[in-house]
Amino acid sequence: MGSEGKIVFTEEQEALVVKSWSVMKKNSAELGLKLFLKIFEIAPTTKKMFSFLRDSPIPAEQNPKLKPHAMSVFVMCCESAAQLRKTGEVTVKETTLKRLGASHSKYGVVAEHFEVAKYALLETIKEAVPEMWSPEMKAAWGQAYDHLVAAIKAEMKPSP
Ligand code: HEM
């Protein structure tokens, strides 16, 4: 399950994540696209990792296949926040973590890409809910993301 010791994630922190997500959800397709366009702007080489972008004549900003991945990142961070508060660990199903670890190693995702994605995620949320945004909200999303990514990374094997 979680790769780390018990983590203190408070009810208030979970509430900040859930509250902002419940507003963003309505707009999640657009936000998801925005998130990945930010990632591609900072780290253009990551675009080539996506089979459906590599092999497609459709520009990334119009590619409907980007949305589900971006949604997974948002939704899994939310789930991670809820689990962190309840159990102090990221309790994503072990098979799911193993699969994500193995697949992301295979795609060539490295630590820096997760860092870029974190920055892009926090910027996207800040722009989506400016009236709610606060240092506490940034820290809550940041922690939920960091613990989820640590759990994924723990399942990433270096390629042989
Ligand atoms: C695919 C989740 C971060 C690149 C996927 C899939 C999920 C997922 C559920 C589909 C299933 C699979 O292929 O295993 C996540 C989560 C992330 C994250 C939860 C962070 C919390 C990243 C980052 C990158 C990335 C930072 C690179 C910038 C990819 C690629 C695919 C993928 C290239 C395959 C897309 C395709 O060609 O079909 N991810 N991901 N992911 N992810 Fe991520």
Side-chain angles (χ1 to χ4, degrees):
M1 298 298 252
S3 57
E4 313 192 340
K6 294 281 177 206
I7 300 148
V8 180
F9 195 80
T10 64
E11 232 166 276
E12 288 75 21
Q13 287 181 298
E14 183 194 7
L16 288 171
V17 171
V18 172
K19 181 171 87 171
S20 45
W21 174 240
S22 68
V23 173
M24 292 189 289
K25 233 192 309 209
K26 299 173 198 112
N27 230 350
S28 55
E30 190 197 317
L31 292 176
L33 192 57
K34 215 170 156 186
L35 167 64
F36 272 84
L37 294 178
K38 280 190 200 295
I39 295 176
F40 297 152
E41 205 179 300
I42 306 168
T45 51
T46 55
K47 217 177 186 175
K48 295 196 187 67
M49 290 176 182
F50 291 83
S51 54
F52 49 82
L53 297 182
R54 218 171 32 228
D55 308 334
S56 167
I58 310 168
E61 56 275 18
Q62 287 162 24
N63 198 309
K65 291 192 180 166
L66 260 186
K67 289 173 194 164
H69 180 252
M71 278 286 283
S72 303
V73 177
F74 271 117
V75 170
M76 289 187 73
C77 280
C78 271
E79 286 167 357
S80 155
Q83 296 298 341
L84 281 171
R85 204 266 302 154
K86 281 191 207 112
T87 67
E89 322 176 287
V90 176
T91 49
V92 179
K93 270 199 312 202
E94 198 146 352
T95 44
T96 309
L97 279 181
K98 280 204 189 320
R99 198 201 65 212
L100 286 178
S103 63
H104 286 73
S105 292
K106 197 182 76 197
Y107 305 138
V109 180
V110 295
E112 292 76 42
H113 300 140
F114 284 114
E115 277 304 307
V116 172
K118 179 183 178 183
Y119 171 81
L121 178 74
L122 296 177
E123 282 294 301
T124 304
I125 301 169
K126 180 169 115 184
E127 289 167 20
V129 288
E131 69 294 347
M132 280 185 190
W133 188 248
S134 66
E136 291 74 26
M137 184 173 278
K138 182 178 180 181
W141 272 99
Q143 272 193 46
Y145 178 87
D146 282 347
H147 291 300
L148 171 61
V149 166
I152 297 174
K153 276 188 189 158
E155 298 295 341
M156 287 176 83
K157 315 266 179 321
S159 28

